[in-house]
Amino acid sequence: MARYCLYLLLLLLSGPWAFGQELPAFQPEGRHHSIGLNTSPLLVQFIPFNRSNPRVLGPYFITYRAYNQRNRAFRLALGWDVDAGIDGDEIQNHFNFRMGTERRRPIAERWSYSMAWDLGFSVGDFNLPGEKEGDGGFLGLGPTWGFEFFLSRSVSLSTELSLWLGLGLDEGIARLQVIPPVALNLNVWRPRKKR
C-alpha cells in the first residue's frame, strides 16, 4: 500500500513538469517552401459531392509558394487538362497559370489567413462547374483570399477564393471572373536553405 502511495505522489509531483513543457508550433515560421496538390480529384472518388462531372475541380492542380522571414511569398500555380477523346469531344481542354505575391497571417494556433495579388492567364476555361461551354481565353489580375489549416508543422490543407478582372481573349472585352473555393489543396512545407 505504501508503494502505491509513493507512485501516486510521484505521479502528482511530475504533473507540473509535464505542463511546463512548451507546446510545438504548428505553423512554420521564417523561410519556407510550400508545394500544394489539389486533392479534390481523389476526394470525389470517395465522396462525390453530387458532382455531375468529377473532373471539374478548379483551375489549378499544383501550387508553389516560397516564403521569406516576414511571411510574404512569391507564388505560382498551374493547371491543365488535354483530353482528345475518341469522339473528338475536346470540351475538357484548358490551361491555367498564375503568379503573384502573398502575405500569410496566423489567426489561431493551427489556422492562417492569406491575401494575395496574382496575374493570371487561361486558355480554354477555368475548369469550374457551369463553365465548360466556353472555349476562349482570359488574361487578368486580381486578389485571392485563402484559409489554411495546419495538420502539423509540415502539412496543411488550404482553399482559396479569387476575383479576377481582365480581358476575355475570345471577345476582346473586359470581364470579371470569380473563382469560388472548389479545390482542397494538400500542402507540404519544407524549410529553405540559408543563403
Side-chain angles (χ1 to χ4, degrees):
M1 181 72 172
R3 191 169 69 192
Y4 292 120
C5 289
L6 181 62
Y7 288 145
L8 181 61
L9 182 64
L10 287 174
L11 182 66
L12 290 174
L13 289 176
S14 67
W17 292 321
F19 287 110
Q21 301 298 319
E22 187 175 322
L23 294 174
F26 285 103
Q27 297 190 32
E29 297 172 357
R31 296 170 45 91
H32 276 77
H33 292 284
S34 170
I35 296 176
L37 295 173
N38 185 345
T39 60
S40 298
L42 177 64
L43 289 176
V44 298
Q45 299 299 319
F46 299 109
I47 309 166
F49 298 117
N50 199 20
R51 292 186 188 248
S52 60
N53 186 350
R55 294 181 356 169
V56 180
L57 300 165
Y60 309 110
F61 298 133
I62 188 165
T63 60
Y64 172 76
R65 297 178 285 180
Y67 281 90
N68 63 17
Q69 290 292 94
R70 297 177 293 153
N71 279 336
R72 293 182 187 260
F74 170 73
R75 60 191 242 148
L76 297 169
L78 184 64
W80 67 94
D81 189 6
V82 179
D83 180 26
I86 296 172
D87 58 354
D89 180 21
E90 298 189 11
I91 292 177
Q92 295 293 330
N93 291 345
H94 64 87
F95 175 81
N96 298 304
F97 175 77
R98 77 167 183 213
M99 71 176 182
T101 62
E102 174 180 293
R103 180 176 176 115
R104 182 173 60 92
R105 292 187 176 141
I107 55 176
E109 183 179 24
R110 292 180 182 254
W111 289 92
S112 71
Y113 159 81
S114 63
M115 203 282 184
W117 281 93
D118 295 314
L119 176 64
F121 175 70
S122 174
V123 174
D125 58 43
F126 280 104
N127 197 28
L128 298 173
E131 276 202 2
K132 289 316 225 178
E133 295 80 29
D135 194 23
F138 183 80
L139 177 65
L141 172 73
T144 300
W145 300 274
F147 285 100
E148 196 157 10
F149 177 76
F150 286 85
L151 301 170
S152 71
R153 191 176 178 92
S154 59
V155 178
S156 68
L157 297 172
S158 66
T159 189
E160 296 178 337
L161 166 74
S162 297
L163 178 65
W164 293 91
L165 179 61
L167 184 65
L169 300 179
D170 52 345
E171 306 101 15
I173 59 173
R175 190 169 128 197
L176 182 67
Q177 175 73 42
V178 176
I179 301 175
V182 294
L184 182 65
N185 295 315
L186 177 69
N187 305 297
V188 176
W189 292 76
R190 292 289 174 236
R192 289 171 60 189
K193 293 182 181 177
K194 298 191 188 231
R195 293 180 186 180

